[in-house]
Amino acid sequence: MDNSQKRILMAKTGLDGHWRGPTIVARALRDAGFEVIMIGMASTDDIVRAAVDEDVDLVGLNIGGHINVALRAVNSVQEARPGLPLFAGGTVPPHAMKQLQALGVEVFPPGSQLAAIVESAERLTHRSS
Amino acid sequence: MGTKPVLSSSEIELKAYYTAEDIPEPHRSRVNLPPGEAPYHRGFHSSGYRTKPWRIFQLSGFGKPEDENERIKFLLKNGETGFIMEHDRNTADHCYNVDHPDVVSRREDVGLTGAVMQSVRDIDICLDGLPMDTSFAHAGGAVVQHAPFALAGYWTVAKRRGFDLRKLAGTGQSDFNLTYLGCVTKQQIPTDAGLRFNADIIEFCTENLPRWVPVSVAGYNGADSGLTPDQELGSLFANTVEYLDEIKRRNKIPLEVAAKGCGGVSFRSSIHIFEEAAKMRAARLMWSDLLRERYDITEPKTANLRIHCVTAGSKMTYQQPLNNIVRGTVMALTAVLGGVQSLGVSGYDEALSIPSEHAHQMSVRIQQILQEETNICAVTDPLGGSYYIETLTAQLVEKAWQFFEDIMQEGGYLACLDSGWLHAKAAENQHKEFMAMESGEQNIVGVTFAEDDESPYEVDGFMGTDDAFDVATARLNELRRTRHETGAKAALKNLESVCRSESNIMPAMLAALDAEVTLGEIGDVYREVFGDWNTPIQT
């Protein structure tokens, strides 16, 4: 699949400094041809601004902290750019995973296969075009 | 059978079995040395755990200082033999108060990774009723720019309680691997300022707190970021050399004493049992050789490398989390077979959250079962003399020195952090490790293998308390209202001028803590004086 025209924003909602997950995922997405815009540790405002300014096709959130912080980011992105898909990963415990899924966010907890993440990115970015 | 070589994590080719002839010289001639003799790969004391079992030492903390206090008391009651104070990473790592915009925008995260401690008042609450005078304590300050504050806070509370700093036992951390490699923060003082801080702490402890480990180089944070065991060893000593060379250059304290202080380190104990146990043996040997060859130090007490070990958090799985109790046990056993002095076992809920009370208790119980029931404390260096282990020990030493040399070729450890050279190594290994899992070459039980049986294993993440941010905000406001403002401002001003000078930062830091200067105010001074590290990765 040609992913070269698709742009994915990657952001980390927390200030906790765990980079393993987002680094590996960003590389896998780039290897699959996507353009990945990594903005690192970002507040909700930063994420929304980048999602709008960079005209991305998908937003990926790395979540290391409380689910409310992530939910705020999700809600704000969905408000600013209705229909823009989001997916998320990180140490997302079961109760938080359900809350994200209820908002239509695909969630990849630790142990997820990179192939599944890439497949999700392809499905989410190509569905509307 | 296939011809594909079987490799260890350090990419040492493993034979199907070993004989005496496999052990390379000069190591072969050392095999019969007893523990307690240089180069100490077999341990520093011949009686080993018989006379001193390893310390049960668990990372702990969340919420408000009183929540953390309660958890530490719970762990001590359950048999922990030292205690660790975790400071909230949002505030501590960045030296922000809770009213900093970057913290306010993530208010629910506050307290999830440690208690919020913005002033000596908070640290005092966290330490309420804890046996500071008789315990070995980790006072926090894992991240370099936060360490002077955390240490000065702990010591200020100790002084106020009438304890003699000279008798206080514990450890700092200020780990470069954590700060500049593994858990890179949004904002941080540059590495040269960090080196200055650590050298200041080493000098200050040498003169004032002889029983305190001033800084603790953590191989763990390199390893769990992707460095292989040989790289973990090589980078750890390349890091230590930066500290000792700086102490030598300053020439204010005896190098032997500083070296003794730098000999409290931590390693990761991962899941490849024999290679990891051999790694601890290799580390002791390398430290002894390094001191002798580079600094001409042969004094046995200095050459005694004290190892704290933490089981690999990244090996703990999200799926079927109770399986992690087994992983924790195996990795704990590995560390003990390697003869470590102190151990923390990651919680079985590590991949979901910070440890619940139950997960924490299990981490202590695993260690107690090993100590009390298995008779493992009876014999020192039980793997010593194994053809395999001795060969691996020698091979790891050789590979680790090679990596050490590679770092030196790149300009030294600090240069490798600044340039991103180490980050690239770690990322490459992470990727390889992930691809091995993805391709089925490396099965992970419950994740890529035997993954269908989930129902009996439901564990949810522990979310701490929900009032940490609000209480911290109220306390910050109260502090501002009630502290002696002129004294606080004067102490802060003095700290700033010390930061701009070449004087040791610690006396001014202690005075600042005593005057109830806050973490965020200190951070603002750092940002003004030292600026921000130019990170080689996107943060």
Side-chain angles (χ1 to χ4, degrees), chain A residues 22-82:
Chain A
T23 310
I24 287 178
V25 170
R27 175 165 175 178
L29 292 171
R30 286 188 180 120
D31 287 350
F34 290 102
E35 183 182 345
V36 176
I37 299 140
M38 178 74 141
I39 60 169
M41 294 174 175
S43 68
T44 290
D45 290 347
D46 297 333
I47 295 167
V48 170
R49 196 176 312 119
V52 173
D53 292 352
E54 299 283 350
D55 192 29
V56 294
D57 303 287
L58 173 64
V59 174
L61 300 178
N62 171 258
I63 301 168
H66 200 284
I67 188 58
N68 285 2
V69 178
L71 292 176
R72 208 157 43 235
V74 170
N75 283 324
S76 302
V77 168
Q78 289 179 338
E79 203 172 297
R81 287 211 34 204

Coordinates of all heavy atoms in Angstrom, one line a residue, chain A residues 22-82:
Chain A
P22 N 6.9 4.9 21.8 CA 6.7 5.8 20.7 C 7.9 5.7 19.7 O 7.7 5.9 18.5 CB 6.6 7.2 21.4 CG 7.0 7.0 22.8 CD 6.8 5.6 23.1
T23 N 9.1 5.5 20.2 CA 10.2 5.4 19.3 C 10.1 4.3 18.3 O 10.3 4.4 17.1 CB 11.6 5.3 20.1 OG1 11.6 6.3 21.1 CG2 12.8 5.5 19.2
I24 N 9.8 3.1 18.9 CA 9.6 1.9 18.1 C 8.5 2.0 17.1 O 8.6 1.7 15.9 CB 9.5 0.7 19.0 CG1 10.8 0.3 19.6 CG2 9.0 -0.5 18.2 CD1 10.8 -0.8 20.6
V25 N 7.4 2.6 17.6 CA 6.2 2.7 16.7 C 6.5 3.7 15.6 O 6.1 3.4 14.4 CB 5.0 3.1 17.5 CG1 3.8 3.5 16.6 CG2 4.5 2.0 18.5
A26 N 7.1 4.8 15.9 CA 7.4 5.8 14.9 C 8.3 5.2 13.8 O 8.0 5.4 12.6 CB 8.1 7.0 15.5
R27 N 9.2 4.4 14.2 CA 10.1 3.8 13.2 C 9.3 2.8 12.3 O 9.5 2.8 11.1 CB 11.3 3.1 13.9 CG 12.1 2.3 13.0 CD 13.5 1.9 13.6 NE 14.2 1.1 12.6 CZ 15.4 0.7 12.9 NH1 16.0 0.9 14.0 NH2 16.0 -0.1 11.9
A28 N 8.5 2.0 13.0 CA 7.7 1.1 12.2 C 6.8 1.8 11.2 O 6.7 1.3 10.0 CB 6.9 0.2 13.1
L29 N 6.2 2.9 11.6 CA 5.3 3.6 10.7 C 6.1 4.2 9.5 O 5.7 4.2 8.4 CB 4.6 4.7 11.4 CG 3.5 4.2 12.4 CD1 3.0 5.3 13.3 CD2 2.4 3.5 11.7
R30 N 7.3 4.7 9.8 CA 8.2 5.3 8.8 C 8.6 4.2 7.8 O 8.6 4.4 6.6 CB 9.4 6.0 9.4 CG 9.0 7.3 10.0 CD 10.3 8.1 10.5 NE 9.8 9.4 11.1 CZ 10.1 9.8 12.3 NH1 10.8 9.0 13.1 NH2 9.7 10.9 12.8
D31 N 9.0 3.1 8.4 CA 9.4 1.9 7.6 C 8.3 1.5 6.6 O 8.5 1.0 5.5 CB 9.8 0.7 8.4 CG 11.2 1.0 9.1 OD1 11.8 2.0 8.8 OD2 11.5 0.2 10.0
A32 N 7.0 1.7 7.1 CA 5.9 1.4 6.2 C 5.5 2.5 5.2 O 4.5 2.4 4.5 CB 4.7 1.1 7.1
G33 N 6.3 3.6 5.2 CA 6.2 4.6 4.2 C 5.5 5.9 4.7 O 5.4 6.8 3.9
F34 N 4.9 5.9 5.9 CA 4.2 7.0 6.4 C 5.2 8.2 6.7 O 6.4 7.9 7.0 CB 3.5 6.7 7.7 CG 2.3 5.8 7.5 CD1 2.4 4.5 7.8 CD2 1.1 6.3 7.0 CE1 1.3 3.6 7.6 CE2 0.0 5.5 6.8 CZ 0.1 4.1 7.2
E35 N 4.7 9.4 6.6 CA 5.4 10.5 7.1 C 5.0 10.7 8.5 O 3.8 10.9 8.8 CB 5.1 11.8 6.3 CG 6.0 12.9 6.7 CD 5.7 14.2 6.0 OE1 5.0 14.2 4.9 OE2 6.1 15.3 6.5
V36 N 5.9 10.6 9.4 CA 5.6 10.7 10.9 C 6.1 12.0 11.4 O 7.3 12.4 11.3 CB 6.2 9.6 11.7 CG1 6.0 9.7 13.2 CG2 5.7 8.2 11.2
I37 N 5.2 12.8 12.0 CA 5.6 14.1 12.6 C 5.6 13.8 14.1 O 4.5 13.7 14.7 CB 4.6 15.2 12.2 CG1 4.7 15.4 10.7 CG2 5.0 16.5 12.9 CD1 3.4 15.6 10.0
M38 N 6.8 13.7 14.7 CA 6.9 13.4 16.1 C 7.0 14.7 16.9 O 8.0 15.4 16.7 CB 8.1 12.5 16.2 CG 8.4 12.1 17.7 SD 7.3 10.9 18.3 CE 8.4 9.9 19.3
I39 N 6.1 15.0 17.7 CA 6.2 16.3 18.5 C 6.5 16.0 19.9 O 6.6 16.9 20.7 CB 4.9 17.2 18.4 CG1 3.7 16.5 18.9 CG2 4.8 17.7 16.9 CD1 2.5 17.4 19.0
G40 N 6.8 14.8 20.3 CA 7.2 14.4 21.6 C 6.2 14.8 22.7 O 5.0 14.7 22.5
M41 N 6.7 15.2 23.9 CA 5.8 15.5 25.0 C 5.0 16.7 24.6 O 5.6 17.8 24.4 CB 6.7 15.8 26.2 CG 7.4 14.6 26.8 SD 8.5 15.2 28.1 CE 9.2 13.6 28.7
A42 N 3.7 16.6 24.6 CA 2.9 17.7 24.1 C 1.6 17.8 25.0 O 1.0 16.8 25.3 CB 2.5 17.5 22.7
S43 N 1.2 19.0 25.2 CA 0.0 19.3 25.9 C -1.2 19.1 24.9 O -1.0 19.1 23.7 CB 0.0 20.7 26.5 OG -0.1 21.6 25.4
T44 N -2.4 19.1 25.4 CA -3.6 19.1 24.6 C -3.5 20.2 23.5 O -3.8 19.9 22.3 CB -4.8 19.2 25.4 OG1 -4.9 18.0 26.2 CG2 -6.1 19.3 24.6
D45 N -3.2 21.4 24.0 CA -3.2 22.5 23.0 C -2.1 22.3 21.9 O -2.4 22.5 20.7 CB -2.8 23.8 23.7 CG -4.0 24.3 24.6 OD1 -5.1 23.7 24.5 OD2 -3.8 25.2 25.5
D46 N -1.0 21.8 22.3 CA 0.1 21.5 21.3 C -0.4 20.5 20.3 O -0.1 20.6 19.1 CB 1.4 20.9 22.0 CG 2.0 21.9 23.0 OD1 1.8 23.1 22.8 OD2 2.7 21.4 23.9
I47 N -1.1 19.4 20.8 CA -1.5 18.4 19.9 C -2.5 18.9 18.9 O -2.5 18.6 17.7 CB -2.1 17.2 20.8 CG1 -0.9 16.5 21.6 CG2 -2.7 16.1 19.9 CD1 -1.4 15.6 22.7
V48 N -3.5 19.6 19.4 CA -4.6 20.1 18.6 C -3.9 21.1 17.5 O -4.2 21.0 16.3 CB -5.6 20.9 19.4 CG1 -6.6 21.7 18.5 CG2 -6.4 19.9 20.3
R49 N -3.1 21.9 18.0 CA -2.4 22.9 17.0 C -1.7 22.1 15.9 O -1.9 22.4 14.7 CB -1.5 23.8 17.8 CG -1.1 25.0 17.0 CD -0.2 26.0 17.8 NE -0.7 26.2 19.2 CZ -0.1 25.9 20.3 NH1 1.1 25.3 20.3 NH2 -0.7 26.2 21.5
A50 N -0.9 21.1 16.3 CA -0.2 20.4 15.3 C -1.1 19.6 14.4 O -0.9 19.5 13.2 CB 0.8 19.4 16.0
A51 N -2.2 19.0 15.0 CA -3.1 18.3 14.1 C -3.7 19.1 13.1 O -4.0 18.7 11.9 CB -4.2 17.6 15.0
V52 N -4.0 20.4 13.4 CA -4.6 21.3 12.4 C -3.5 21.9 11.5 O -3.6 21.7 10.2 CB -5.3 22.5 13.2 CG1 -5.7 23.6 12.2 CG2 -6.4 22.0 14.0
D53 N -2.4 22.4 12.0 CA -1.4 23.0 11.2 C -0.7 22.1 10.2 O -0.4 22.4 9.1 CB -0.3 23.7 12.1 CG -0.8 24.9 12.9 OD1 -2.0 25.3 12.6 OD2 -0.1 25.4 13.8
E54 N -0.5 20.9 10.7 CA 0.3 19.9 9.9 C -0.7 19.1 8.9 O -0.2 18.3 8.2 CB 1.0 18.9 10.8 CG 2.1 19.6 11.7 CD 3.3 20.0 11.0 OE1 3.5 19.6 9.8 OE2 4.2 20.7 11.6
D55 N -1.9 19.4 9.1 CA -2.9 18.7 8.2 C -2.7 17.2 8.2 O -2.6 16.6 7.1 CB -2.8 19.3 6.8 CG -4.0 18.9 5.9 OD1 -5.1 18.6 6.5 OD2 -3.8 18.7 4.7
V56 N -2.6 16.6 9.3 CA -2.3 15.2 9.4 C -3.5 14.3 9.1 O -4.7 14.8 9.2 CB -1.7 14.8 10.8 CG1 -0.4 15.4 10.9 CG2 -2.7 15.1 11.9
D57 N -3.3 13.0 8.8 CA -4.4 12.1 8.5 C -4.7 11.2 9.7 O -5.7 10.5 9.6 CB -3.9 11.2 7.3 CG -3.6 12.1 6.1 OD1 -4.5 12.6 5.5 OD2 -2.4 12.2 5.8
L58 N -3.8 11.2 10.7 CA -4.0 10.3 11.8 C -3.2 10.9 13.0 O -2.1 11.5 12.8 CB -3.5 8.9 11.5 CG -3.5 7.9 12.6 CD1 -4.9 7.5 13.1 CD2 -2.8 6.6 12.0
V59 N -3.8 10.8 14.2 CA -3.1 11.2 15.4 C -2.8 10.0 16.3 O -3.7 9.2 16.6 CB -3.9 12.2 16.2 CG1 -3.2 12.6 17.5 CG2 -4.1 13.5 15.4
G60 N -1.5 9.8 16.6 CA -1.1 8.7 17.5 C -0.7 9.3 18.9 O 0.2 10.2 18.9
L61 N -1.3 8.8 19.9 CA -0.9 9.3 21.3 C -0.2 8.2 22.0 O -0.7 7.0 22.1 CB -2.2 9.7 22.0 CG -3.1 10.8 21.4 CD1 -4.3 11.1 22.3 CD2 -2.2 12.1 21.2
N62 N 0.9 8.6 22.6 CA 1.5 7.6 23.6 C 1.1 8.1 25.0 O 1.2 9.3 25.4 CB 3.0 7.7 23.5 CG 3.7 6.9 24.6 OD1 4.2 7.5 25.6 ND2 3.7 5.6 24.6
I63 N 0.5 7.2 25.7 CA -0.1 7.5 27.0 C 0.6 6.8 28.1 O 0.7 5.6 28.1 CB -1.6 7.1 27.0 CG1 -2.4 7.8 25.9 CG2 -2.3 7.4 28.4 CD1 -3.7 7.3 25.6
G64 N 1.2 7.6 29.0 CA 1.9 7.0 30.1 C 1.3 7.3 31.5 O 1.8 6.9 32.5
G65 N 0.3 8.1 31.5 CA -0.2 8.6 32.8 C -1.7 8.4 32.9 O -2.2 7.3 32.6
H66 N -2.4 9.4 33.4 CA -3.8 9.3 33.8 C -4.6 9.4 32.5 O -4.3 10.2 31.6 CB -4.2 10.4 34.7 CG -5.4 10.1 35.5 ND1 -6.7 10.2 34.9 CD2 -5.6 9.6 36.7 CE1 -7.6 9.8 35.8 NE2 -7.0 9.5 36.9
I67 N -5.7 8.6 32.4 CA -6.5 8.5 31.2 C -7.2 9.9 31.0 O -7.4 10.2 29.8 CB -7.5 7.4 31.3 CG1 -8.2 7.2 30.0 CG2 -8.5 7.5 32.5 CD1 -7.3 6.9 28.8
N68 N -7.5 10.6 32.0 CA -8.2 11.9 31.8 C -7.4 12.9 30.9 O -8.0 13.6 30.2 CB -8.5 12.6 33.1 CG -9.7 11.9 33.8 OD1 -10.2 10.9 33.3 ND2 -10.1 12.4 35.0
V69 N -6.1 12.8 31.1 CA -5.2 13.7 30.3 C -5.4 13.3 28.8 O -5.5 14.2 27.9 CB -3.7 13.6 30.7 CG1 -2.9 14.5 29.9 CG2 -3.6 14.0 32.2
A70 N -5.4 12.0 28.6 CA -5.5 11.5 27.2 C -6.9 11.8 26.6 O -7.0 12.2 25.5 CB -5.2 10.0 27.1
L71 N -7.9 11.6 27.5 CA -9.3 11.8 27.0 C -9.5 13.3 26.6 O -10.2 13.6 25.6 CB -10.3 11.4 28.1 CG -10.4 9.9 28.4 CD1 -11.3 9.7 29.6 CD2 -10.8 9.1 27.2
R72 N -8.9 14.2 27.4 CA -9.0 15.6 27.0 C -8.4 15.9 25.7 O -8.9 16.6 24.9 CB -8.3 16.4 28.1 CG -8.8 17.8 28.3 CD -8.6 18.4 29.6 NE -7.2 18.3 30.1 CZ -6.9 17.7 31.3 NH1 -7.9 17.3 32.1 NH2 -5.7 17.6 31.7
A73 N -7.2 15.3 25.4 CA -6.6 15.5 24.1 C -7.4 14.9 23.0 O -7.6 15.5 22.0 CB -5.2 14.8 24.1
V74 N -8.0 13.7 23.2 CA -8.8 13.1 22.2 C -10.0 14.0 21.9 O -10.4 14.3 20.8 CB -9.3 11.7 22.7 CG1 -10.4 11.1 21.7 CG2 -8.1 10.7 22.7
N75 N -10.7 14.4 23.0 CA -11.9 15.2 22.8 C -11.6 16.5 22.0 O -12.3 16.9 21.1 CB -12.6 15.6 24.1 CG -13.3 14.4 24.7 OD1 -14.0 13.6 24.0 ND2 -13.2 14.2 26.0
S76 N -10.5 17.1 22.4 CA -10.1 18.4 21.7 C -9.8 18.2 20.3 O -10.1 19.0 19.4 CB -9.0 19.0 22.5 OG -9.3 19.2 23.8
V77 N -9.1 17.1 20.0 CA -8.7 16.9 18.6 C -10.0 16.6 17.8 O -10.2 17.1 16.7 CB -7.8 15.7 18.5 CG1 -7.6 15.2 17.0 CG2 -6.4 16.0 19.0
Q78 N -10.9 15.8 18.4 CA -12.1 15.5 17.6 C -13.0 16.7 17.4 O -13.7 16.8 16.4 CB -12.9 14.4 18.4 CG -12.2 13.0 18.3 CD -12.9 11.9 19.1 OE1 -13.7 12.2 20.0 NE2 -12.6 10.7 18.7
E79 N -12.9 17.6 18.4 CA -13.7 18.9 18.2 C -13.1 19.8 17.1 O -13.8 20.4 16.3 CB -13.7 19.6 19.6 CG -14.8 20.6 19.8 CD -14.7 21.1 21.2 OE1 -14.9 20.3 22.2 OE2 -14.5 22.3 21.4
A80 N -11.8 19.9 17.1 CA -11.1 20.8 16.2 C -11.1 20.2 14.8 O -11.2 20.9 13.8 CB -9.6 21.0 16.6
R81 N -11.0 18.9 14.7 CA -11.0 18.2 13.4 C -11.9 17.0 13.4 O -11.4 15.9 13.5 CB -9.5 17.8 13.0 CG -8.7 19.1 12.6 CD -7.6 18.8 11.6 NE -8.0 17.8 10.6 CZ -7.1 17.1 9.9 NH1 -5.8 17.2 10.2 NH2 -7.5 16.2 9.0
P82 N -13.2 17.3 13.3 CA -14.1 16.2 13.3 C -13.8 15.1 12.3 O -13.4 15.4 11.1 CB -15.5 16.8 13.0 CG -15.3 18.3 13.3 CD -13.8 18.6 13.0

